Amino acid sequence: LNTEETIYNALNQFFYCYLTERNIEHTLASVTEDIYSIGTGNGEIAVGKQEFRALLEAEISALPSPIALESGVVTIAVSVSAM
């Protein structure tokens, strides 16, 4: 797989677990411990996996029903620096 395909697959997996499965553990398995998450609502900021877990728990508790995820054309701009 090339870089674009790898990123697309990772994002697709994350959003499937998060939106369609509504599975916190599977969603968290897709992120690193040092995640930074900025949501769309007031106070929806998480720094680190534990804060992100709290956001997921609150959201899924408030909206437990699956959200349809449709694949479409996604354009990804990626800058990869050598480590």
Side-chain angles (χ1 to χ4, degrees), residues 25 36-37:
E25 296 307 321
Y36 289 88
S37 173

Side-chain angles (χ1 to χ4, degrees), residues 1 9 13 23 28 30 41 45-46 58 65 67 69-70 74-75 82:
L1 294 175
N9 289 341
Q13 178 66 25
N23 186 306
L28 290 173
S30 300
I45 297 173
S65 296
I67 298 170
L69 178 63
E70 293 183 28
V74 177
T75 302

Side-chain angles (χ1 to χ4, degrees), residues 10-82:
L11 286 172
N12 196 47
Q13 178 66 25
F14 170 83
F15 282 111
Y16 177 79
C17 294
Y18 169 47
L19 297 174
T20 303
E21 281 189 348
R22 305 302 271 167
N23 186 306
I24 293 170
E25 296 307 321
H26 289 170
T27 303
L28 290 173
S30 300
V31 302
T32 61
E33 291 293 331
D34 60 351
I35 183 174
Y36 289 88
S37 173
I38 300 173
T40 58
N42 241 355
E44 289 184 348
I45 297 173
V47 178
K49 211 171 201 177
Q50 289 306 319
E51 288 184 15
F52 188 58
R53 173 189 289 279
L55 285 181
L56 290 173
E57 288 171 348
E59 181 179 331
I60 291 172
S61 174
L63 267 169
S65 296
I67 298 170
L69 178 63
E70 293 183 28
S71 293
V73 177
V74 177
T75 302
I76 303 171
V78 179
S79 174
V80 180
S81 59

